[in-house]
Amino acid sequence: MTLPSLRRWIGTAVLAMPALLTGCSTPLPAITLLRMPLRTPLQAPGVANPAPSAPVQSANTTATQALAVQLLPVQLAGHLDREALVTASGPGTLNVSDYARWAEPLRESVTRLLRHDLEQQWGADRLWHSGASATQRAAAHQRLRVELTALELQPDRANVRLQARWQWETSHRAAAMPVSTLADFTVPVASTDLNAIVLAHRQALYQLAGRIAASVPAESNGN
């Protein structure tokens, strides 16, 4: 091959390379935004909503059971406080999805949905947030602290595991030891579809609300 011919061959190859690269490239999957619905199928109109068993009340605990509850912002373990969907890949390993992300910060949606579910159990007038009025803050109430240490799809992709700890702190008995409760359970996933996975996360939060609602500590009113 003569030098001019070699130069023409190199020039043709350089011009053709972008076309070859374009033809061989595979488009990246689109990012899917995940949003847990406000209502679960169990809360849909016309569907019986199984209420958790309420704690037994005695005559001197009825007043305390009616105390207002201040739900503090839910705390998330560090591996959960992210945009991406988390899947457990083994006993000590996690996978973070590149293409499935929560549409809003998970800590915000978990707090909002837990509030909604607790209001369904107790009534909206029983629950108030950290921005309550001065009158509410001065009145006797119970503070509810919730921390999620697990909320992830399991390796078999057939269950979502939720692990949580919550504490009750009574404002008029600051010296009393807070009552702490643990929960660790799984919720089945109907299919491998992302919608089913998101719904299982939502059902897990709904079940957590039921356990919290049934765990109000029985104390005497201010004594």
Side-chain angles (χ1 to χ4, degrees):
M1 180 180 292
T2 64
L3 183 58
S5 299
L6 179 60
R7 288 176 177 172
R8 285 195 298 271
W9 181 86
I10 294 175
T12 302
V14 170
L15 291 175
M17 190 173 294
L20 292 173
L21 292 175
T22 301
C24 295
S25 64
T26 302
L28 295 176
I31 293 176
T32 301
L33 296 181
L34 312 177
R35 181 179 62 184
M36 286 185 280
L38 186 64
R39 289 182 176 272
T40 73
L42 292 177
Q43 297 172 301
V47 177
N49 205 357
S53 57
V56 177
Q57 297 182 7
S58 61
N60 66 338
T61 62
T62 303
T64 299
Q65 296 294 341
L67 283 177
V69 175
Q70 178 188 6
L71 174 62
L72 301 176
V74 176
Q75 301 298 306
L76 299 183
H79 70 280
L80 296 176
D81 196 7
R82 62 181 66 248
E83 294 181 352
L85 179 70
V86 175
T87 302
S89 55
T93 55
L94 299 168
N95 284 335
V96 179
S97 174
D98 291 329
Y99 310 113
R101 301 179 183 175
W102 296 109
E104 62 178 317
L106 191 59
R107 60 184 177 277
E108 295 180 9
S109 62
V110 165
T111 301
R112 174 173 53 82
L113 294 171
L114 188 59
R115 168 179 296 279
H116 171 270
D117 293 345
L118 289 174
E119 286 179 346
Q120 301 302 304
Q121 301 287 343
W122 293 330
D125 57 342
R126 175 81 184 277
L127 203 65
W128 53 272
H129 53 76
S130 56
S133 66
T135 302
Q136 286 177 312
R137 291 195 299 270
H141 62 274
Q142 291 175 313
R143 286 183 291 268
L144 174 58
R145 300 181 184 273
V146 181
E147 178 187 9
L148 292 188
T149 52
L151 182 62
E152 60 244 4
L153 188 64
Q154 293 301 282
D156 59 4
R157 301 182 70 85
N159 294 277
V160 167
R161 180 190 179 195
L162 185 148
Q163 187 179 61
R165 174 186 292 106
W166 63 93
Q167 285 187 341
W168 295 98
E169 301 172 358
T170 307
S171 63
H172 61 276
R173 294 187 61 184
M177 182 68 69
V179 178
S180 182
T181 308
L182 300 175
D184 190 347
F185 58 90
T186 60
V187 173
V189 180
S191 72
T192 57
D193 180 74
L194 277 176
N195 284 313
I197 292 171
V198 170
L199 185 57
H201 281 73
R202 181 66 183 95
Q203 294 283 13
L205 290 177
Y206 174 68
Q207 290 190 25
L208 175 63
R211 297 184 184 212
I212 292 174
S215 72
V216 181
E219 300 176 349
S220 59
N221 190 16
N223 297 321

